[in-house]
Amino acid sequence: NSVDIMYMLDLPRHTIEYISPSVEALLGRSPKEFVAADVSTLIEIIHPDDRHGILDLLQSASTQGADAGLGEIECRMRDKDGNYRWFSWRHSVIRDPKGVASSLVGNARDITENIVARNREHEAQVRQARDERMGSLAVLAGGMAHDINNMLTAVSSLPDFVETYLGETLRSDCASHIRESM
């Protein structure tokens, strides 16, 4: 009744001993496709970018010491329609009486919705940070424009000042000459 995909892999033979019926509900694939098949059957439906993690897991499960415990890895698996879903794999190594790794057992939980929500949250945080930066730039630009406008107002009003206060004492052509040179 588990919604997770439960599995057992035979490490020495590199075969899938068991995979739960939930693989059909989650990936649209029959358990019969996997049982007694080579582990490569499972590897083929894992996203190419994530395969190295699973291969490392299988390698380390075969070579770890007797104290090997639970581990976890996230990867994408392709369903029957070609879409990828995210899974969190939790597993443990089973050893024979001599301490040799014989099986890898675990479950793969569909975490697609969690990953999508995490990505949306990250995108929202990135957008918020960008909006805050743009807001800061707008305040800075507004302040600079105000300061520049204050300086330009003084400069642009200087010819009127010269003409108003000195125009009476200077000849009119001299005041216009000052205005033009500014």
Side-chain angles (χ1 to χ4, degrees):
N1 292 331
S2 175
V3 294
D4 295 349
I5 299 172
M6 311 299 272
Y7 59 90
M8 179 181 273
L9 308 176
D10 184 310
L11 291 173
R13 293 187 297 164
H14 299 285
T15 58
I16 302 168
E17 290 183 28
Y18 173 79
I19 195 159
S20 64
S22 57
V23 73
E24 193 157 4
L26 293 171
L27 296 174
R29 298 173 185 275
S30 168
K32 292 177 184 176
E33 292 180 50
F34 297 102
V35 175
D38 190 75
V39 172
S40 62
T41 305
L42 184 62
I43 300 296
E44 287 175 10
I45 66 168
I46 294 173
H47 192 280
D49 293 344
D50 301 335
R51 288 181 186 161
H52 68 278
I54 299 299
L55 294 171
D56 289 347
L57 162 70
L58 294 173
Q59 178 65 31
S60 65
S62 298
T63 59
Q64 281 181 346
D67 61 342
L70 290 176
E72 184 172 0
I73 188 168
E74 292 180 355
C75 72
R76 293 161 285 184
M77 296 174 69
R78 187 178 63 244
D79 64 18
K80 197 73 163 181
D81 297 329
N83 301 312
Y84 283 97
R85 301 193 59 77
W86 279 96
F87 286 87
S88 173
W89 293 45
R90 295 189 55 81
H91 51 274
S92 185
V93 176
I94 297 179
R95 301 193 175 281
D96 65 17
K98 296 178 184 175
V100 176
S102 61
S103 298
L104 182 72
V105 295
N107 70 308
R109 175 166 289 173
D110 186 351
I111 59 168
T112 304
E113 290 178 12
N114 297 351
I115 297 290
V116 168
R118 186 174 20 174
N119 289 344
R120 284 184 185 150
E121 181 179 341
H122 176 71
E123 290 170 4
Q125 289 171 347
V126 167
R127 277 194 306 274
Q128 181 180 2
R130 185 184 65 234
D131 291 347
E132 288 173 1
R133 284 192 307 273
M134 293 302 289
S136 296
L137 285 173
V139 169
L140 178 64
M144 289 176 62
H146 182 72
D147 290 345
I148 290 171
N149 190 35
N150 286 342
M151 289 186 282
L152 289 177
T153 299
V155 169
S156 65
S157 63
L158 188 58
D160 291 333
F161 173 78
V162 168
E163 186 175 28
T164 302
Y165 292 101
L166 299 177
E168 296 171 2
T169 59
L170 297 174
R171 292 190 329 234
S172 62
D173 60 329
C174 183
S176 62
H177 178 67
I178 291 172
R179 178 188 296 268
E180 290 171 5
S181 65
M182 297 199 149

